[in-house]
Amino acid sequence: MLFVCAIELGLMYSGYAYSTRVDPKDIFCPHWNSLTAGTTHLIPTVILLDEKQNFLAFGYEAEEKYLELDAEEKKSCYFFQRFQMNLYDKLRAGERLSPETKVFDVKGKDLPAVDILSNAIKYLKDHMLNEHKTWQTAIEEVDIFWVLTVPAMWGDPGKQFMIQAAERAGMDNKRLAIILDSKAAFIYCKDLPVKKFDGWSDSVDMFSLGQRCLLLNAGDGAVDLTAFEVKPQEELHVLIHASWKDCSGIIVNTTFIQLMIDIVGEEFIDSYCQNNTADYLDLLRLFERKRYEKVDEDIIMKEVTLKVPPTFVIKYKEKTGKDISQRVKETQFAKSLKWTKDKMRIDKDLFQSFFNPSCEKIAYNVKQTLSKPEVKGSKVILMVGCFSESTILQDAVKEAFPECLVVVPHKASLAVLKGAVFIGHSLLSNNDRPVIEAEFLRQNTTN
């Protein structure tokens, strides 16, 4: 086999990464383009099927095509938005994943989850192959060893569930491995040079024998915490695993939308979302981009500028007869928010307050975990996941746990994908034969 390609189907975002057997550490992640999100390495976990359940699109393309449909077409098609969240909720409720497990689209219509997953896997698999055809590179499916990641909470039934989805997507299980996302992220960080980390200290060897480490995988859909202990031959033993949804990055969006409701009213927000869906999504994407920009202490005006779709201002005036800038002056945000045409100028403290609910809950959950006897002695917190790229969250964790070394790899959102590629190469090098599952899936975890 010539390549190792990893696929991650996240709760909110998905993607793939790969490298050659010749140069395993030179990992390539494709670029995806969106008018408002810009160029990204990950795309929304969103899939669009027609009325006969045939695949139409995935990611940004699925969102854009759905928005172009008229009302009747939207009723007949299937639009699964962040369908992995359905599976997360089912697992949290104690349900086992099986071929009969269903997920619901935005209109409440259901289909077997394994079919939706297989469509998503096939799309990313085919995208990788088609990219090489575009580059006129000679590559066949038999040249690729595939690695799919699963959350630790999925367990053995979930592992088998993912294998079934992969097989339906046309993958040969003789060239397939299923691995834990937390394990992949840890392995990625282990193999990175020191200069690729923020917060690294030479005084602590995070990967030495007996070292205990907390891996905080903070995503936009959920926050996972896994405690590892390094065993002989650099094997990793899972001490404990926990997962929460009420402190993820999407909660920051929710807090921001609540501010908008406080200003213009819930009725207007609902109407705008319904009748100007594309612009509403643009607003959220613009805010998400702003979320990950560093809030510099040296900003002269001490404010964050957020561009708003022009239709938001126009529609508000049409509905109320009032300029939105004037409305802001009548609210509790008069001194902390200025609205000029299509720009919101938000006081830095107000902007940071959007993060407070998530940051406080994450700090509380980590503190509760550190108090458990199973993880006694853990002094390292390794932050990965897209939400971990927020400097506001990083600072909150560092402030809450001054006794711990808090370490963040550059491009923390890609840690799982790149680590999965590393593991794929390791599996092939150590045992150059078909691999269906990785040994560490058999370890027990607790929620």
Side-chain angles (χ1 to χ4, degrees):
M1 283 171 271
L2 304 177
F3 295 85
V4 170
C5 182
I7 292 177
E8 178 187 11
L9 291 175
L11 296 183
M12 300 287 287
Y13 294 97
S14 300
Y16 70 88
Y18 65 90
S19 65
T20 67
R21 297 291 303 279
V22 176
D23 193 358
K25 293 190 176 182
D26 184 16
I27 299 176
F28 177 80
C29 296
H31 290 88
W32 308 88
N33 296 311
S34 166
L35 292 176
T36 50
T39 300
T40 65
H41 288 299
L42 300 173
I43 52 177
T45 307
V46 176
I47 192 167
L48 179 64
L49 308 179
D50 67 16
E51 68 277 6
K52 296 182 179 179
Q53 304 172 22
N54 296 313
F55 176 85
L56 291 178
F58 185 81
Y60 293 127
E61 184 183 1
E63 289 183 339
E64 292 163 2
K65 283 190 174 183
Y66 182 73
L67 292 174
E68 292 172 357
L69 300 177
D70 61 33
E72 287 303 312
E73 290 172 326
K74 286 180 179 178
K75 287 181 181 179
S76 62
C77 73
Y78 293 82
F79 185 58
F80 290 89
Q81 191 173 39
R82 298 160 183 169
F83 56 87
Q84 286 279 61
M85 295 294 288
N86 284 178
L87 300 180
Y88 178 93
D89 291 338
K90 290 176 185 295
L91 288 164
R92 294 289 293 177
E95 184 176 331
R96 290 167 63 92
L97 299 182
S98 72
E100 288 72 42
T101 300
K102 301 292 183 76
V103 289
F104 296 87
D105 79 344
V106 295
K107 298 291 186 181
K109 298 181 293 184
D110 63 5
L111 287 176
V114 69
D115 292 339
I116 305 304
L117 275 176
S118 67
N119 271 295
I121 293 169
K122 186 176 187 306
Y123 171 79
L124 293 171
K125 172 178 72 75
D126 291 348
H127 189 278
M128 189 270 192
L129 293 168
N130 291 332
E131 284 285 285
H132 281 268
K133 288 180 181 178
T134 302
W135 301 336
Q136 297 183 337
T137 307
I139 178 174
E140 303 292 338
E141 254 189 87
V142 293
D143 297 325
I144 305 171
F145 182 74
W146 301 97
V147 182
L148 302 183
T149 66
V150 295
M153 68 183 297
W154 275 36
D156 285 343
K159 169 195 64 181
Q160 186 59 41
F161 184 77
M162 183 62 83
I163 291 174
Q164 291 171 349
E167 290 175 338
R168 294 189 187 195
M171 288 183 175
D172 184 348
N173 65 20
K174 295 178 181 180
R175 292 181 284 104
L176 173 66
I178 310 295
I179 68 170
L180 298 180
D181 54 9
S182 55
K183 171 81 172 189
F186 193 94
I187 292 299
Y188 170 68
C189 296
K190 175 182 174 296
D191 287 348
L192 277 185
V194 173
K195 65 181 181 179
K196 294 289 187 179
F197 287 92
D198 291 325
W200 183 270
S201 172
D202 291 333
S203 63
V204 177
D205 184 355
M206 190 167 65
F207 310 109
S208 62
L209 181 63
Q211 180 65 257
R212 291 183 172 185
C213 170
L214 294 185
L215 182 81
L216 182 65
N217 187 354
D220 272 353
V223 174
D224 293 340
L225 186 66
T226 308
F228 288 109
E229 181 176 0
V230 180
K231 294 293 188 179
Q233 283 78 52
E234 298 185 340
E235 286 295 324
L236 297 179
H237 175 63
V238 177
L239 301 172
I240 195 171
H241 173 79
S243 181
W244 309 277
K245 193 171 70 170
D246 62 353
C247 52
S248 64
I250 199 67
I251 301 301
V252 182
N253 287 23
T254 302
T255 308
F256 167 68
I257 291 299
Q258 184 57 55
L259 172 135
M260 301 292 278
I261 290 173
D262 291 342
I263 295 173
V264 301
E266 188 169 4
E267 182 182 347
F268 176 78
I269 289 292
D270 289 344
S271 173
Y272 188 75
C273 178
Q274 183 69 29
N275 300 313
N276 301 83
T277 308
D279 288 340
Y280 181 77
L281 287 176
D282 286 349
L283 173 62
L284 292 181
R285 285 176 182 166
L286 290 166
F287 176 72
E288 287 176 359
R289 289 183 68 181
K290 191 63 66 172
R291 271 204 282 141
Y292 297 114
E293 291 181 8
K294 186 173 182 179
V295 182
D296 197 333
E297 293 289 341
D298 297 325
I299 293 178
I300 297 177
M301 300 302 293
K302 292 189 176 180
E303 60 185 24
V304 176
T305 300
L306 176 65
K307 188 175 176 61
V308 178
T311 55
F312 193 92
V313 178
I314 295 170
K315 294 295 181 182
Y316 182 78
K317 187 165 186 178
E318 287 178 356
K319 181 175 179 59
T320 65
K322 183 184 296 185
D323 285 334
I324 201 166
S325 58
Q326 181 60 39
R327 168 57 189 156
V328 171
K329 294 176 183 178
E330 301 169 355
T331 70
Q332 60 182 307
F333 309 109
K335 295 182 179 180
S336 55
L337 173 63
K338 296 177 183 177
W339 201 311
T340 306
K341 296 182 180 180
D342 64 344
K343 291 183 177 61
M344 295 174 67
R345 303 194 187 278
I346 309 169
D347 180 85
K348 187 178 68 176
D349 291 336
L350 175 60
F351 183 79
Q352 290 179 319
S353 73
F354 300 149
F355 292 75
N356 288 346
S358 290
C359 291
E360 290 170 1
K361 287 181 180 178
I362 287 174
Y364 173 81
N365 291 332
V366 173
K367 184 177 181 180
Q368 291 296 107
T369 302
L370 284 171
S371 68
K372 296 180 182 295
E374 301 99 306
V375 297
K376 184 179 180 180
S378 301
K379 293 296 182 182
V380 177
I381 300 176
L382 181 60
M383 296 180 64
V384 300
C386 56
F387 192 23
S388 287
E389 293 185 357
S390 164
T391 55
I392 294 176
L393 176 59
Q394 293 173 20
D395 291 343
V397 173
K398 291 173 183 176
E399 182 179 348
F401 304 98
E403 73 281 8
C404 292
L405 174 65
V406 179
V407 185
V408 188
H410 297 176
K411 295 290 184 181
S413 59
L414 299 177
V416 170
L417 270 178
K418 292 190 174 185
V421 173
F422 286 170
I423 291 176
H425 284 288
S426 178
L427 290 171
L428 288 177
S429 297
N430 294 335
N431 191 8
D432 200 5
R433 62 178 175 77
V435 181
I436 295 179
E437 63 185 18
E439 180 276 332
F440 39 79
L441 277 171
R442 303 187 184 98
Q443 298 190 45
N444 293 322
T445 59
T446 59
N447 289 306

